[in-house]
Amino acid sequence: MSDPVFTHGQEQLQQLAQDVLRYAKEKGASGAVVEISEGSGLAVTVRKGKIETIEQNKDKGINVSIHLGEERHIRRGNASTSDFSERSLRDTVEAAYNIARFTAEDDCAGLPEAEMLEMEPRDLQLCYPWPISTEEAVAIATRCEAAAFDVDKRITNSEGASVYTEQSHFVLANSRGFSGGYPYSRHTLSVAPIAGRGGNMQRDDWYTSARDPRLLAEPEAVGRYAAERALARLNARKLGTRKCPVLFEAPLAAGLLGAFVQAVSGGALYRKSSFLLDALGKQVFAPHVQVLEDPHIPGAVGSAPFDEEGVRTRRREVVRDGIVHGYFLSTYSARKLGMQTTGNAGGAHNLAMTSLLTAPGDDFRAMLKKLGTGLLVTELMGQGVNYVTGDYSRGASGYWVENGQIQYPVEEITIAGNLKEMFRQIVGIGTDTVVRGGKVIGSVLVENMTVAGN
């Protein structure tokens, strides 16, 4: 792939955005929002040493939202185009305007208050283009997969190794004077080896992802680790039904944090479809648990100077000593709840869950010792989370642990509990942190859950 140079510069996107806002004003809109984006990417997959897929993309688009009416009595219309010509921009504004004319009024719609907008966005260094050719990407994927096969002859197959690289930029602007945008990147290397033969086969996977390609793990390290994970799962057993402590491996623990975010997000709260209604100021987690949101970490995956509405983001303690001190709200959901936006239109930013009980040496091995005798979960299946009641039931596989030592792999089991109880029963969080989807967390030990098997 050649150097990822954008067709349009940031200044050009800014000018296009101002043109769209001008067209909207001329049309009679009481408010308008426009987002313009452009990006390119490369994805390659190699399986058993041979190229399986090569995909290159270049995308661009403009999305326009037109508001008609006075505050709290807004009708909205949206339209989009990938054509940046003046005629197309005017037609897109016209289409959004006509849609708005026939939509119902919404008393919570409208632009964010001017004082909430980030008028001077900071540079968080979120773009590190990877000028990698297709041949180079194929070579990296091949090295990763070959390293997995080299670990042991019992690695007999592979679902492939992939390299994905993306670099994009955008501008967001609205009729209240906000205009901001920046370039960003994301690069990923992954592999999924298969161990064993016949009826005794297991797969596992691993990946490394970063905005800066220099921070990616070495291909050989990713391949070896994925292979070791697959091999460790061979000859898995089943478990009888029991109650025991459960240690969630760090990548899966990020899912527990994600469940909390879902439950205290504005949409779930105002629809009353959350098991954590009215949780603000209440004890939800064990008293030692902390959750920090920090959107301004330079180069981090979840960083952003403003949210999808242009509202400034801020560092905050979402959970302090187990007590919820903040929701995740957009302008719309905040108005529905009679509250103020938290700058989370589009989601959370760089969430870190930690424990006041965690010591510097509480790595994965130490967490196994804290588990003592119980279940280490390394894979979850199904969507068994009821966000209205908090009931949690997931198919799982992992390892049975006794006296802090892994004894054997287990599969075809179900772990069950209720998230309210699980959050309160967190007894430890490890230092074996991973970053998954803008969440930073180590392995999480839950004191007691039901494990169902045969």
Side-chain angles (χ1 to χ4, degrees):
M1 188 176 184
S2 59
D3 287 348
V5 177
F6 301 122
T7 304
H8 299 76
Q10 274 281 302
E11 290 184 359
Q12 289 176 293
L13 296 191
Q14 291 278 4
Q15 184 58 57
L16 287 169
Q18 294 308 312
D19 290 344
V20 170
L21 294 177
R22 188 176 74 254
Y23 302 153
K25 184 177 181 180
E26 292 171 357
K27 190 65 185 174
S30 58
V33 182
V34 56
E35 182 172 2
I36 308 177
S37 61
E38 180 186 23
S40 61
L42 168 67
V44 304
T45 299
V46 171
R47 181 173 178 272
K48 300 184 76 172
K50 296 182 179 180
I51 298 173
E52 193 158 78
T53 61
I54 297 175
E55 298 179 10
Q56 289 183 304
N57 69 281
K58 292 184 76 70
D59 301 305
K60 64 177 184 176
I62 296 181
N63 187 73
V64 181
S65 178
I66 296 295
H67 296 182
L68 300 178
E70 299 301 322
E71 288 295 332
R72 304 298 187 267
H73 298 282
I74 298 293
R75 290 171 288 150
R76 294 179 294 180
N78 294 281
S80 60
T81 182
S82 58
D83 183 349
F84 287 8
S85 68
E86 180 182 351
R87 181 70 267 162
S88 177
L89 299 186
R90 288 186 178 276
D91 288 346
T92 304
V93 169
E94 177 81 20
Y97 177 85
N98 287 330
I99 292 170
R101 289 171 54 209
F102 297 101
T103 58
E105 288 186 354
D106 191 327
D107 61 0
C108 290
L111 297 174
E113 288 73 17
E115 63 270 18
M116 303 301 295
L117 298 170
E118 179 55 273
M119 295 302 189
E120 297 182 4
R122 66 186 74 187
D123 180 8
L124 295 176
Q125 304 163 40
L126 303 180
C127 190
Y128 297 84
W130 194 4
I132 186 174
S133 68
T134 300
E135 292 77 14
E136 289 169 330
V138 168
I140 290 171
T142 301
R143 285 167 53 196
C144 183
E145 187 186 48
F149 276 111
D150 287 344
V151 168
D152 193 292
K153 291 182 179 180
R154 290 174 295 169
I155 300 296
T156 57
N157 208 336
S158 167
E159 291 184 357
S162 299
V163 170
Y164 174 73
T165 175
E166 174 199 11
Q167 40 277 316
S168 302
H169 70 147
F170 76 99
V171 163
L172 175 69
N174 68 32
S175 53
R176 285 211 164 134
F178 170 81
S179 183
Y182 49 86
Y184 60 92
S185 59
R186 185 76 177 266
H187 315 293
T188 304
L189 168 64
S190 63
V191 65
I194 298 172
R197 297 182 183 277
N200 183 28
M201 297 177 69
Q202 296 286 349
R203 72 167 293 284
D204 212 315
D205 60 76
W206 198 249
Y207 73 89
T208 176
S209 185
R211 292 192 185 276
D212 186 345
R214 295 171 296 182
L215 300 180
L216 296 174
E218 286 296 315
E220 290 78 10
V222 176
R224 285 193 297 268
Y225 186 57
E228 290 165 359
R229 291 175 65 91
L231 289 165
R233 296 177 61 165
L234 289 173
N235 303 309
R237 308 180 194 179
K238 298 178 182 179
L239 286 177
T241 298
R242 66 195 69 189
K243 285 184 176 291
C244 64
V246 173
L247 179 63
F248 288 82
E249 188 184 27
L252 303 186
L256 295 179
L257 181 52
F260 166 70
V261 173
Q262 167 71 18
V264 293
S265 289
L269 294 172
Y270 79 72
R271 294 186 183 96
K272 300 189 181 302
S273 58
S274 169
F275 67 95
L276 291 180
L277 293 176
D278 302 317
L280 205 61
K282 295 180 180 178
Q283 191 88 39
V284 168
F285 289 91
H288 59 91
V289 174
Q290 320 291 315
V291 178
L292 176 71
E293 182 179 34
D294 189 352
H296 303 150
I297 302 172
V301 171
S303 292
F306 52 83
D307 72 1
E308 291 185 356
E309 297 177 315
V311 172
R312 72 176 63 89
T313 54
R314 59 188 176 88
R315 188 178 189 272
R316 63 190 181 122
E317 292 178 303
V318 179
V319 174
R320 186 194 313 136
D321 301 335
I323 298 171
V324 176
H325 286 271
Y327 290 153
F328 296 89
L329 307 178
S330 65
T331 299
Y332 185 83
S333 62
R335 288 171 181 164
K336 280 285 191 180
L337 294 166
M339 303 177 75
Q340 192 174 71
T341 175
T342 59
N344 291 108
H349 309 284
N350 292 330
L351 284 185
M353 178 185 278
T354 57
S355 166
L356 296 176
L357 303 179
T358 301
D362 283 344
D363 58 10
F364 179 66
R365 290 184 182 277
M367 293 301 291
L368 285 177
K369 290 181 180 179
K370 289 187 178 185
L371 171 65
T373 296
L375 179 67
L376 164 64
V377 178
T378 59
E379 183 176 21
L380 292 169
M381 292 150 277
Q383 303 295 322
V385 181
N386 186 324
Y387 287 102
V388 177
T389 64
D391 288 339
Y392 183 96
S393 180
R394 303 284 302 275
S397 60
Y399 302 87
W400 183 248
V401 178
E402 293 180 1
N403 299 318
Q405 299 292 323
I406 292 176
Q407 300 299 307
Y408 50 82
V410 295
E411 63 181 1
E412 297 181 19
I413 57 176
T414 300
I415 59 172
N418 185 280
L419 285 168
K420 279 187 177 180
E421 297 174 1
M422 291 165 63
F423 290 162
R424 286 180 174 270
Q425 291 184 10
I426 292 175
V427 293
I429 300 175
T431 60
D432 52 333
T433 55
V434 297
V435 180
R436 291 291 186 267
K439 300 176 183 66
V440 182
I441 193 169
S443 53
V444 168
L445 178 57
V446 177
E447 186 175 23
N448 191 39
M449 293 186 69
T450 298
V451 178
N454 296 324

